[in-house]
Amino acid sequence: MLIVGRTSACAQALIPLLRERYDVLTAGRSGCDVELDLCSNDVQIPGGIDCVVNMAAAFGGKELPDTLQAMNVNVLGLMKLCHASSRANAKHLVHISSIFSDLANDSPFSGAYALSKRHSEDVARFCGRELRLPVAVLKPSQIYGVGESFRKHQPFLYTMMDKAERNEDIDIFGSNDPLRNFIHTDDVAKILSAVIAMRIEGIYRCVNPDNVRYSQIAAAAITAFESKSKVRFLRDKPDIPDNGFSCDDTLFRMIDYLPRISTEQGMQMEAAHRRPAS
């Protein structure tokens, strides 16, 4: 088993789970078992790898260098990895895309990352067919978990918890109570483990069955931290748009597993992590 993108927060949850059943190697630019740079012209992986899991990603930005980086890593890098996996006679490749690939082009949340992930799915489908490489693509919604490593990509979620922990009021801009879809990394890790074990192929949504409102997230944080915080809507500020996603449970039925960690449980897990050891 080869995990590409060891430093991702999700990989940190997946690797210990996989090591209970498989010999796991990690690959990346530094601090890994195998040195691998998806932007290199020469991407190679060791022979004898049964399954390759690609968790590497570049998140893009508004500037051209950031957009090019997202395309180089998420699209061209995946194509190189598929060819390297085929040469190494890998039996299965699992690619982590994003539910943001389904966003409409005019969505305020669509950008270089969403575009590159959409193209990466085309690359996975194309390479799987041309190379006769069994490929699975998972499209998770916004991933969160326990600890600081998730803050970078979910800053507002962790700011809510910070404020609840400090008994500060939680402000939501505008009159709209924005809709979001979060999935806990522990659920993603278990879904991935099942996909690998069953050698599933195809492209699948991987989102929480329940969308949540900002006010629900805030209330869950307040309860988890036993906080005196209040939730306030700043109605003189611009509204924050919704970004929820419908759940297609096709994959969940195939693996007989449904995401189980609710927002309330996720907040409680983070609160327990932050409490000093007694």
Side-chain angles (χ1 to χ4, degrees):
M1 179 82 53
L2 182 70
I3 308 294
V4 180
R6 181 195 66 83
T7 58
S8 74
C10 192
Q12 299 309 303
L14 176 64
I15 290 171
L17 187 63
L18 291 180
R19 280 185 170 149
E20 295 176 4
R21 304 178 62 180
Y22 307 100
D23 293 328
V24 177
L25 296 176
T26 60
R29 287 179 295 178
S30 62
C32 295
D33 302 308
V34 177
E35 185 176 344
L36 187 148
D37 183 354
L38 292 180
C39 292
S40 167
N41 290 327
D42 183 28
V43 172
Q44 303 285 342
I45 67 170
I49 298 294
D50 189 57
C51 179
V52 177
V53 181
N54 181 35
M55 308 188 78
F59 288 86
K62 296 186 180 299
E63 300 300 324
L64 179 59
D66 298 324
T67 299
L68 293 176
Q69 175 77 355
M71 293 297 176
N72 283 335
V73 173
N74 300 344
V75 183
L76 298 179
L78 174 62
M79 181 173 285
K80 296 171 193 174
L81 183 61
C82 286
H83 279 267
S85 300
S86 178
R87 290 192 299 269
N89 294 315
K91 306 284 192 303
H92 193 203
L93 185 142
V94 181
H95 170 57
I96 308 304
S97 181
S98 169
I99 196 64
F100 276 36
S101 67
D102 287 349
L103 290 172
N105 290 330
D106 60 355
S107 167
F109 300 98
S110 182
Y113 176 68
L115 180 63
S116 66
K117 284 298 188 180
R118 190 181 310 156
H119 289 328
S120 80
E121 294 170 15
D122 292 334
V123 164
R125 187 184 292 111
F126 172 77
C127 288
R129 183 186 71 237
E130 294 297 309
L131 302 173
R132 297 183 180 179
L133 174 67
V135 173
V137 177
L138 304 189
K139 299 151 63 90
S141 52
Q142 294 176 264
I143 300 173
Y144 76 109
V146 173
E148 284 295 302
S149 60
F150 294 92
R151 182 185 293 273
K152 178 180 178 181
H153 299 300
Q154 311 299 344
F156 190 65
L157 186 72
Y158 287 83
T159 297
M160 279 191 178
M161 289 189 277
D162 294 342
K163 290 194 171 186
E165 186 178 26
R166 298 192 298 259
N167 293 303
E168 297 175 3
D169 288 344
I170 298 172
D171 296 333
I172 299 173
F173 279 19
S175 301
N176 184 44
D177 193 356
L179 199 64
R180 292 291 185 270
N181 192 291
F182 291 99
I183 187 166
H184 198 277
T185 186
D186 287 359
D187 277 328
V188 174
K190 289 175 182 175
I191 292 164
L192 272 168
S193 181
V195 166
I196 293 165
M198 297 172 67
R199 291 196 175 171
I200 285 174
E201 300 178 47
I203 300 177
Y204 304 96
R205 279 192 167 201
C206 182
V207 306
N208 198 306
D210 299 316
N211 291 305
V212 290
R213 300 279 180 187
Y214 268 19
S215 63
Q216 293 175 286
I217 299 169
I222 289 168
T223 298
F225 286 94
E226 301 177 348
S227 174
K228 298 178 181 178
S229 303
K230 304 294 183 184
V231 179
R232 302 184 303 183
F233 284 85
L234 304 183
R235 302 184 189 279
D236 59 327
K237 303 293 186 181
D239 283 351
I240 302 171
D242 291 335
N243 196 30
F245 296 94
S246 62
C247 177
D248 179 344
D249 67 353
T250 301
L251 176 63
F252 302 150
R253 286 187 282 107
M254 290 172 69
I255 64 174
D256 193 26
Y257 183 90
L258 196 69
R260 298 171 183 175
I261 300 176
S262 66
T263 303
E264 291 78 10
Q265 291 170 317
M267 299 296 102
Q268 290 166 5
M269 292 163 70
E270 176 66 18
H273 170 74
R274 296 189 187 190
R275 292 188 191 104
S278 56

